[in-house]
Amino acid sequence: MTADVFQKFDKAEQVERAAGSLYRQLAERFRGKSEVAKTLEELASEEDQHALRVRMLRDRYAKRPGDFDDVALDLEAMEALLTEAATLAELFSREPFDLSVDEARRFMIRLEERFAEAHAQAMASAASDDLRTFFEALSRGDTAHARLLASLRD
């Protein structure tokens, strides 16, 4: 696997970890709303699992670089997602915290939709069935997260 592909998978892992961190941050902010906080913690755990799966996939295929040749993990797009996550982290840390659950969930739905698009793009370009299946599962997970977020209420 080339250094470029390692860099792409490292960025992909960072994106998943950033999402988990945002969900934890929101869970803490909404700790007085136990069902909302519980759902956000569950989403954080799922994002951590996504990050672990990205790392495991990278390690699993480290000896099969050909499987990664055509994966369209766009570094610029991932950097943009990380920048957006950092902006949201700053917003979510402001004092006083005055976002409603509805406002916070709208921010996170938009981010999950962007994650789904990035995973779908990678899926469409994957050279192997294993990679297509992997990115399809991540994209479906992102879409499921957005649906779950849409059901959160103050």
Side-chain angles (χ1 to χ4, degrees):
M1 191 180 317
T2 66
D4 181 51
V5 174
F6 270 117
Q7 184 181 17
K8 289 178 180 182
F9 276 89
D10 286 342
K11 285 289 181 205
E13 182 180 353
Q14 288 174 32
V15 166
E16 301 295 341
R17 292 205 184 280
S21 179
L22 287 170
Y23 283 123
R24 273 191 197 76
Q25 191 177 9
L26 286 173
E28 178 61 26
R29 289 299 196 164
F30 294 116
R31 68 181 173 272
K33 300 173 187 273
S34 61
E35 287 303 310
V36 170
K38 179 182 172 192
T39 298
L40 293 167
E41 282 292 345
E42 289 170 1
L43 289 167
S45 293
E46 288 183 22
E47 294 296 348
D48 290 345
Q49 286 299 314
H50 291 178
L52 180 60
R53 289 179 66 202
V54 169
R55 178 169 288 226
M56 289 171 58
L57 184 69
R58 181 197 68 190
D59 293 346
R60 179 177 159 205
Y61 286 106
K63 295 181 182 173
R64 294 169 56 183
D67 287 346
F68 291 98
D69 288 345
D70 297 325
V71 175
L73 293 176
D74 183 340
L75 285 173
E76 287 182 23
M78 285 188 282
E79 282 294 339
L81 288 172
L82 287 170
T83 298
E84 184 173 351
T87 300
L88 289 175
E90 191 277 323
L91 175 66
F92 297 163
S93 67
R94 287 185 187 157
E95 296 294 342
F97 182 73
D98 59 359
L99 288 178
S100 68
V101 170
D102 187 55
E103 291 167 322
R105 78 178 172 85
R106 279 186 271 144
F107 283 119
M108 293 307 294
I109 288 170
R110 180 175 180 271
L111 193 63
E112 287 288 0
E113 289 170 345
R114 294 195 52 214
F115 289 167
E117 290 172 17
H119 292 139
Q121 179 186 23
M123 175 188 66
S125 69
S128 73
D129 289 338
D130 284 349
L131 283 174
R132 278 189 292 282
T133 300
F134 175 78
F135 288 114
E136 180 181 20
L138 288 180
S139 184
R140 277 194 322 262
D142 299 329
T143 301
H145 290 177
R147 278 195 308 269
L148 182 58
L149 287 163
S151 72
L152 286 180
R153 297 289 179 249
D154 269 315

